[in-house]
């Protein structure tokens, strides 16, 4: 059997299993989705949002990209964010990075990988802003872990800079923003930062006419 054929076979078995344990399973899910969470995570295959949080289809709206970045010109991310916040009205937006992230490691080095370097430049900027704090650490691994945490925190801040989040905070006192980092080696998620709805950020980024 070819590798991809196994996926289709497993899918059939899964669908049958779901229908057997709950005959209405697909009918209910097909009718609507009302997830409470938006997950912005890394594309890394080892960090699947649903499995590591014990959630089911329908519970998390998901956007993933390399190194879980929130970039203000990314129309893909912004569309997901707007839909999740304004239509689905999610209560929590979670940016989840992970230790051992290839994107973080690549951003710390000087090798040119092609177009991806332009994407990773966002991480280099975080490193530059926090260079003394990161360079103080002894090992490469400690520095990568610190940069991972600081990058996640910066992406949460980037969310708060968007008019989408600021408008939702003003109108609905929602959503909460969370920065998490997942450990590949132990499966545990470490919360690293949090922003309550209405948190004031640098006024440079605050719109006064939303
Ligand atoms: Co990664």
């Amino acid at each position: 059997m070819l590798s991809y054929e196994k996926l289709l076979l497993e899918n059939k078995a899964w669908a049958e299993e779901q229908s057997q344990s709950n005959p209405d399973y697909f009918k209910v899910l097909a009718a609507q989705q009302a997830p409470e969470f938006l997950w912005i995570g890394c594309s890394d295959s080892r960090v699947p949002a649903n499995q590591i949080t014990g959630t089911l289809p329908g519970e998390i709206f998901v956007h993933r990209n390399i190194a879980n970045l929130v970039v203000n010109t990314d129309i893909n991310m912004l569309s997901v964010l707007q839909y999740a916040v304004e239509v689905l009205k999610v209560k929590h937006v979670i940016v989840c990075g992970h230790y051992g992230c290839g994107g973080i490691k690549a951003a710390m080095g000087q090798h040119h990988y092609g177009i991806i370097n332009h994407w990773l430049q966002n991480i280099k900027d975080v490193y530059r802003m926090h260079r003394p704090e990161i360079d103080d650490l002894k090992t490469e691994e400690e520095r990568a872990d610190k940069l991972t945490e600081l990058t996640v925190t910066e992406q949460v801040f980037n969310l708060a800079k968007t008019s989408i989040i600021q408008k939702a905070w003003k109108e609905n006192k929602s959503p909460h923003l969370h920065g998490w980092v997942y450990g590949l080696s132990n499966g545990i998620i470490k919360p690293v930062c949090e922003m309550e709805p209405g948190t004031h950020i640098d006024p440079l980024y605050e719109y006064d006419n939303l």
Side-chain angles (χ1 to χ4, degrees):
M1 198 194 321
L2 298 167
S3 62
Y4 75 89
E5 288 177 333
K6 187 171 180 288
L7 300 187
L8 296 171
L9 209 65
E10 289 289 347
N11 164 256
K12 264 202 196 101
W14 172 80
E16 266 163 36
E17 203 181 298
Q18 298 305 317
S19 298
Q20 267 166 19
S21 61
N22 176 6
D24 286 336
Y25 184 80
F26 291 107
K27 207 164 92 187
V28 171
L29 270 184
Q32 62 144 1
Q33 64 163 339
E36 200 179 315
F37 311 97
L38 165 61
W39 175 278
I40 299 174
C42 185
S43 298
D44 194 304
S45 62
R46 298 164 294 178
V47 196
N50 284 121
Q51 275 104 321
I52 66 172
T53 56
T55 48
L56 297 168
E59 292 194 82
I60 306 190
F61 200 63
V62 172
H63 176 79
R64 290 167 72 177
N65 61 41
I66 289 177
N68 41 271
L69 298 179
V70 174
V71 176
N72 68 10
T73 51
D74 179 1
I75 197 80
N76 185 351
M77 180 279 299
L78 290 171
S79 302
V80 171
L81 180 65
Q82 186 185 7
Y83 188 77
V85 170
E86 295 182 4
V87 181
L88 298 173
K89 299 196 188 310
V90 296
K91 296 192 178 77
H92 302 273
V93 180
I94 299 155
V95 177
C96 188
H98 65 103
Y99 298 116
C101 184
I104 296 282
K105 281 182 201 157
M108 292 172 81
Q110 294 180 301
H111 188 81
H112 179 66
Y113 292 97
I115 200 154
I116 192 177
N117 278 81
H118 295 287
W119 184 252
L120 298 178
Q121 215 168 72
N122 294 290
I123 303 173
K124 289 180 186 282
D125 291 341
V126 176
Y127 197 142
R128 182 169 47 81
M129 281 190 281
H130 299 275
R131 193 177 260 290
E133 189 184 350
I134 296 170
D135 285 349
D136 249 10
L137 297 165
K138 284 189 201 77
T139 69
E140 189 72 3
E141 192 185 353
E142 282 175 305
R143 288 192 288 273
D145 288 355
K146 176 57 79 179
L147 180 58
T148 302
E149 293 171 3
L150 290 168
T151 300
V152 161
T153 301
E154 198 63 28
Q155 306 321 298
V156 169
F157 188 63
N158 286 347
L159 284 173
K161 290 179 196 166
T162 66
S163 57
I164 298 165
I165 291 296
Q166 289 185 24
K167 195 159 166 272
W169 279 359
K170 196 177 166 194
E171 291 174 358
N172 308 319
K173 309 263 178 292
S174 182
H176 282 74
L177 309 182
H178 308 264
W180 294 354
V181 180
Y182 172 77
L184 288 179
S185 56
N186 62 6
I188 299 297
I189 292 171
K190 176 182 170 186
V192 293
C193 70
E194 205 175 323
M195 262 196 203
E196 301 279 315
T199 299
H200 284 287
I201 56 172
D202 190 313
L204 266 177
Y205 300 107
E206 287 188 333
Y207 302 107
D208 62 7
N209 62 332
L210 288 174

